[in-house]
Amino acid sequence: MRIAVYPGSFDPITNGHLDIIERAAELFDRLIVAIAKNPLKKPLFTLEERLDMLRETLKFYPNIEIDSFDGLTVNYLKAKNAQVIIRGLRAISDFENEFMMALTNKKLVPRVETIFLMTRAEYSFISSSAVKEVAMYGGCLKGLVPEYVELKLREKFRKEGC
Ligand code: COA
């Protein structure tokens, strides 16, 4: 069975992430969307809230599993018997960091491959930070995030939007 892991912060999941997830799920028998518990990041949403948004958004995809992990992504892959890391590439600016991470992961565990999917052009500008900023100032979130995430952002900032 071909198992891939899409790791990230997902604070929160956006339509850009969703696009990558849907396409990766077509390519593998099983896709694990896993939240990395990064102690250096200060997320807006708690781990439980982020897991809840992933579960709700992805509940109709039969071959997708939602999870979270501590420590190195490559160790998580080993534990899950997975060989592939999925990452999305939005623009040239993503490349440097992604290149560094892919090479570090390969150095740590040579059998691990990172597969990059190019984000669809219409999502290439979306980031979780931008979405949070729009929500904070009550801007329109339509088309940027799944409806359930929009609701959760509205609750967090107590702003109405469009
Ligand atoms: N659509 C929309 N946004 C996207 C996106 C897409 N397709 N792809 C990335 N992004 C955005 C995210 O929203 C996020 O935006 P933000 O910075 O505004 O919040 C940003 O790109 C990066 O987020 P993410 O993809 O979640 O990556 P990350 O840098 O938070 O985490 C990990 C990357 C989890 C893969 C990495 O830190 C990791 O592997 N950690 C575990 C520890 C480890 O193994 N370290 C060694 C590896 S070097």
Side-chain angles (χ1 to χ4, degrees):
M1 190 191 254
R2 290 263 163 210
I3 306 172
V5 173
Y6 183 20
S9 305
F10 302 107
D11 184 40
I13 178 174
T14 67
N15 282 348
H17 295 125
L18 186 56
D19 165 50
I20 300 293
I21 291 168
E22 283 175 341
R23 288 158 55 203
E26 290 277 319
L27 298 174
F28 291 89
D29 299 314
R30 186 153 198 78
L31 176 69
I32 306 172
V33 181
I35 299 178
K37 298 181 203 163
N38 183 346
L40 302 176
K41 279 201 169 181
K42 282 224 168 300
L44 172 67
F45 290 99
T46 64
L47 177 65
E48 250 332 299
E49 288 171 327
R50 285 178 283 155
L51 285 168
D52 170 58
M53 285 184 280
L54 285 178
R55 284 193 198 108
E56 186 60 30
T57 305
L58 302 170
K59 64 184 175 191
F60 296 120
Y61 297 85
N63 66 334
I64 295 180
E65 180 184 327
I66 313 298
D67 199 8
S68 63
F69 67 97
D70 278 310
L72 292 174
T73 298
V74 286
N75 288 347
Y76 179 72
L77 261 84
K78 261 197 225 162
K80 289 285 174 178
N81 205 17
Q83 195 182 352
V84 172
I85 297 172
I86 297 290
R87 295 290 291 165
L89 274 184
R90 288 165 301 171
I92 304 285
S93 52
D94 280 343
F95 182 79
E96 207 173 323
N97 191 40
E98 293 298 337
F99 187 62
M100 180 278 291
M101 284 200 289
L103 291 186
T104 306
N105 287 329
K106 190 116 194 103
K107 173 83 183 137
L108 291 170
V109 180
R111 70 183 282 272
V112 163
E113 295 293 350
T114 302
I115 293 187
F116 295 100
L117 296 180
M118 296 301 298
T119 306
R120 274 185 222 281
E122 61 262 45
Y123 300 129
S124 60
F125 64 94
I126 301 180
S127 73
S128 296
S129 307
V131 158
K132 283 180 273 193
E133 199 167 321
V134 171
M136 183 167 70
Y137 294 114
C140 187
L141 289 164
K142 292 260 173 302
L144 299 179
V145 291
E147 270 178 35
Y148 185 72
V149 175
E150 183 178 346
L151 192 80
K152 294 291 155 185
L153 281 163
R154 298 276 169 242
E155 279 175 19
K156 210 36 124 187
F157 292 110
R158 297 172 194 280
K159 295 266 185 190
E160 274 310 306
C162 55

